[in-house]
Amino acid sequence: MEIHALQQEILRLKKARDICILAHSYQAREIVEIADFSGDSYQLSVQAKTAPQRTVLMCGVRFMAETVKILNPGKTVYLANGGAGCPMAEQMDRELIEALRPSYPGYTVVAYINTTAALKTICDVCVTSSSAVKIVKKLDNPNILFLPDCNLGTYVARQVPEKNIKLLQGGCPIHARVSVREVEEARAAYPDAELLVHPECVPRVVERADFVGSTSAIMAYAAASERREFIIGTELSIAEHLSYRCPDKRFYPLSKDLLCPNMKLTTLMDVYHAVCGQGGEEILLEEETIAAARRCIDRMIELG
Ligand code: 13P
Ligand code: SF4
């Protein structure tokens, strides 16, 4: 089927079946185009709370669909491609953190939203890359255990030096791969460009950036800036989306390895099969998991 015709059919079916399509900004352009909303993890969580439809289809990775289900237990929630996980979210499980917790008595446990629903049940508050600094600043407790991403955690710790932030050794294998050498090469190749970087990159890359922010913050910054050229230090799709949004500007990926295979797993055909009721994976979580995990996501939205 031709892409435009397929998109029209998806739009018709989702309306007829009362489905809201949410797409993370790392999704392919043809998926972002037919979504009711696309954005970063924080924006998707907020959007999930207000979507009027009975069914939500998440085009992204599993923890994002779980977040939608936790915030909307009465809705039917699907992950468009059930194989799409986030390796970082799978690095630490509930048992590991329960075992570590006695070593951090009195600490507030701050979980990046890239964690499983089961792990969220024993954490105190969630954060996303766009809300982490703001939320950690607002916490009364000076002692914070931040998990799983030590790169985002280091960024937060540098922005909030008044807190005692302990980190665990997790992180995004895609962003953590970017090297200082790639930064130097990109700077030499594009001397007039600004370097915009996601805080999941290693500190030595982040500290060389002109701007650090979430996927949506990077897009908003580049769109609003008077500059004409940008080196984009996050998943390749962001440079592509920006080049359509701002055709008069130039966007260069910081590294050709910044490709998240899990985010790229979802295809427009997956979305089509899901809106036909013949695909996707329904997210099913125990009631107790939803109730316990919801505390820390609600707290994130309250403080964010
Ligand atoms: P954002 O919170 O910026 O959307 O990031 C989510 C993610 O998985 C980045 O790798
Ligand atoms: Fe997970 Fe990294 Fe992919 Fe984001 S880019 S979904 S953190 S593996």
Side-chain angles (χ1 to χ4, degrees):
M1 206 190 273
E2 194 258 324
I3 285 192
H4 183 67
L6 186 57
Q7 286 178 313
Q8 293 308 309
E9 185 58 2
I10 291 170
L11 290 173
R12 189 188 68 76
L13 284 164
K14 87 176 180 64
K15 194 168 175 210
R17 295 174 174 235
D18 198 30
I19 300 171
C20 169
I21 300 182
L22 297 180
H24 187 265
S25 333
Y26 289 163
Q27 293 291 291
R29 179 168 166 79
E30 64 269 21
I31 293 175
V32 167
E33 278 175 351
I34 47 88
D36 290 82
F37 182 81
S38 79
D40 67 16
S41 307
Y42 184 78
Q43 294 170 325
L44 291 176
S45 314
V46 174
Q47 205 63 31
K49 259 190 115 165
T50 52
Q53 293 89 340
R54 302 284 319 131
T55 302
V56 178
L57 177 63
M58 172 58 75
C59 304
V61 292
R62 181 167 299 272
F63 77 82
M64 296 174 178
E66 286 186 349
T67 304
V68 175
K69 183 67 185 175
I70 292 163
L71 289 169
N72 300 275
K75 290 190 183 178
T76 308
V77 178
Y78 286 93
L79 177 60
N81 186 314
C86 165
M88 163 155 42
E90 285 147 28
Q91 282 163 353
M92 290 177 196
D93 60 16
R94 181 188 162 143
E95 291 69 30
L96 174 79
I97 302 308
E98 273 174 336
L100 282 176
R101 214 171 169 153
S103 312
Y104 299 92
Y107 277 64
T108 294
V109 180
V110 176
Y112 192 19
I113 199 151
N114 300 39
T115 43
T116 62
L119 178 51
K120 287 184 179 85
T121 62
I122 55 148
C123 296
D124 297 307
V125 60
C126 270
V127 296
T128 65
S129 57
S130 64
S131 62
V133 170
K134 188 174 175 189
I135 290 173
V136 168
K137 265 190 189 155
K138 282 189 183 171
L139 296 172
D140 293 334
N141 194 344
N143 297 317
I144 310 281
L145 175 62
F146 189 98
L147 58 92
D149 188 349
C150 61
N151 295 322
L152 175 63
T154 301
Y155 174 69
V156 174
R158 287 182 180 176
Q159 302 297 309
V160 195
E162 64 275 20
K163 301 270 184 196
N164 165 36
I165 301 180
K166 297 280 191 261
L167 306 172
L168 300 180
Q169 290 305 304
C172 167
I174 315 302
H175 286 82
R177 226 187 250 165
V178 180
S179 65
V180 171
R181 186 179 48 77
E182 285 172 307
V183 172
E184 285 163 358
E185 284 170 2
R187 288 278 199 201
Y190 312 111
D192 296 328
E194 274 190 296
L195 173 62
L196 318 183
V197 156
H198 198 282
E200 287 176 9
C201 292
V202 297
R204 277 160 49 76
V205 167
V206 169
E207 68 205 21
R208 285 166 168 77
D210 298 306
F211 176 81
V212 181
S214 72
T215 51
S216 295
I218 287 176
M219 291 178 83
Y221 180 93
S225 171
E226 311 235 300
R227 299 286 283 268
R228 319 291 327 147
E229 293 182 75
F230 304 87
I231 302 160
I232 304 296
T234 190
E235 219 271 348
L236 293 177
S237 52
I238 300 299
E240 186 190 353
H241 295 324
L242 277 167
S243 66
Y244 288 108
R245 195 198 277 191
C246 314
D248 53 334
K249 297 181 178 178
R250 290 286 174 273
F251 301 95
Y252 313 109
L254 173 55
S255 162
K256 63 180 168 37
D257 294 329
L258 271 165
L259 185 115
C260 176
N262 280 277
M263 280 286 183
K264 289 293 167 299
L265 216 51
T266 306
T267 64
L268 195 62
M269 281 309 284
D270 290 334
V271 180
Y272 172 68
H273 290 312
V275 293
C276 287
Q278 289 163 1
E281 180 186 320
E282 186 175 353
I283 300 294
L284 300 168
L285 296 171
E286 305 275 334
E287 262 177 50
E288 309 85 76
T289 305
I290 291 179
R294 184 165 181 149
R295 280 179 310 105
C296 68
I297 301 176
D298 276 343
R299 194 143 181 240
M300 168 185 88
I301 295 174
E302 236 169 78
L303 295 172

